[in-house]
Amino acid sequence: VRIQKIQEIIERDKNRTDLLNHEIMWEKQLKTEKVYNIPLSYLLYNKYNGRILSRTKSLEKQKQEINLETDEGRNLIENLLWESKVDRNKKTLASIKDFGQQKVGIITKDGVIIDGNRRAMLLNKIDRTGYFKAIVLPVTLEENPIEIERLETTYQMGEDEKLRYNPIEKYLKAKQIYDKLTPKLKDTDAIKSIAEWMGETEGEIKKYLDTMAVM
């Protein structure tokens, strides 16, 4: 149903000239994509978002199911996102109230938020019947997991101006990407890719992976 509803918005608005256009790097090509106004009710948080990865994995290890289709699951993720950086969230919330959403998000065609989970959480705090400005990728999370992982990591961790991540989240993220890449790439090539995506040196990524192995 989410795929259908989001596609209806794309078909309805794809020829509008008043909507924003935004460039993203997708499948090694710089593409200009239209920014659509997607109802917040059509979206799902990404429970493996790098900012809260340690917390969701910890809960799942304790046999707690996180079903994002339910109010309980959604509220849990929203609380984790809020608690991850309370002071910064309060400032951003005030800014959104005054000026609206200023940074464009990225979602999959079935509504999973790839970039902008924190912004969507804050918008939901203001008005759950509101909208999320986003580029819509032409795939679901399952259809191209490695490219989506690259995109998310580049946007979330590879940009200096982004809110910095806690160390443990970086270790977990590096290991998560490494596990996805190594079936297809050599160890050295996987580390090189992770370094590029995260905006770090290859030596730093090796430290992340070594630390994760010890943990």
Side-chain angles (χ1 to χ4, degrees):
V1 173
R2 288 195 309 275
I3 292 175
Q4 179 184 341
K5 293 293 187 182
I6 292 171
Q7 188 59 38
E8 286 174 359
I9 292 173
I10 293 172
E11 291 299 321
R12 184 192 68 197
D13 295 343
K14 63 183 179 182
N15 295 320
R16 284 178 57 178
T17 58
D18 59 321
L19 294 180
L20 293 173
N21 289 305
H22 193 77
E23 290 184 335
I24 64 168
M25 188 67 72
W26 177 251
E27 295 183 330
K28 300 182 180 180
Q29 293 183 15
L30 186 63
K31 297 186 177 181
T32 300
E33 300 290 345
K34 194 172 288 295
V35 177
Y36 295 97
N37 295 316
I38 308 296
L40 289 164
S41 58
Y42 292 0
L43 304 179
L44 285 182
Y45 294 109
N46 179 5
K47 64 180 177 179
Y48 298 129
N49 173 267
R51 198 174 302 284
I52 57 173
L53 188 59
S54 64
R55 294 159 181 81
T56 53
K57 283 189 172 291
S58 177
L59 290 171
E60 289 182 333
K61 281 290 185 182
Q62 297 171 57
K63 308 302 181 183
Q64 180 169 338
E65 181 183 3
I66 305 175
N67 183 356
L68 296 173
E69 301 280 1
T70 65
D71 290 342
E72 181 182 10
R74 181 196 65 203
N75 292 336
L76 172 61
I77 296 300
E78 288 182 344
N79 287 334
L80 292 176
L81 287 167
W82 178 261
E83 294 296 332
S84 66
K85 290 287 181 182
V86 176
D87 291 344
R88 182 64 179 268
N89 282 329
K90 287 180 179 178
K91 291 179 181 179
T92 308
L93 181 62
S95 176
I96 291 175
K97 285 180 178 178
D98 289 339
F99 306 108
Q101 180 189 344
Q102 300 169 60
K103 193 88 172 177
V104 172
I106 301 173
I107 67 172
T108 59
K109 70 179 185 181
D110 57 339
V112 178
I113 303 170
I114 302 304
D115 181 58
N117 282 268
R118 197 171 65 93
R119 272 161 277 157
M121 175 269 294
L122 295 173
L123 286 165
N124 271 313
K125 278 187 174 292
I126 297 169
D127 181 8
R128 290 199 180 276
T129 64
Y131 294 85
F132 185 62
K133 298 176 186 175
I135 292 168
V136 182
L137 300 177
V139 295
T140 66
L141 196 62
E142 293 77 22
E143 288 173 347
N144 198 340
I146 291 179
E147 180 61 16
I148 288 177
E149 189 78 67
R150 182 203 64 77
L151 185 69
E152 179 194 1
T153 305
T154 301
Y155 269 79
Q156 293 293 326
M157 294 184 168
E159 299 179 18
D160 291 340
E161 70 271 15
K162 288 282 188 175
L163 185 60
R164 302 307 294 172
Y165 277 62
N166 295 323
I168 193 170
E169 312 296 352
K170 292 183 179 181
Y171 307 152
L172 280 166
K173 192 67 173 177
K175 180 64 163 58
Q176 178 175 283
I177 301 171
Y178 181 82
D179 289 343
K180 288 183 179 179
L181 291 179
T182 45
K184 298 183 178 181
L185 297 177
K186 293 188 299 183
D187 182 81
T188 53
D189 291 336
I191 290 173
K192 182 179 179 180
S193 293
I194 297 168
E196 290 174 356
W197 297 359
M198 294 181 69
E200 299 282 4
T201 65
E202 292 179 36
E204 193 69 11
I205 298 305
K206 290 177 182 177
K207 288 181 183 177
Y208 291 172
L209 295 171
D210 289 344
T211 303
M212 192 65 211
V214 172
M215 289 167 63

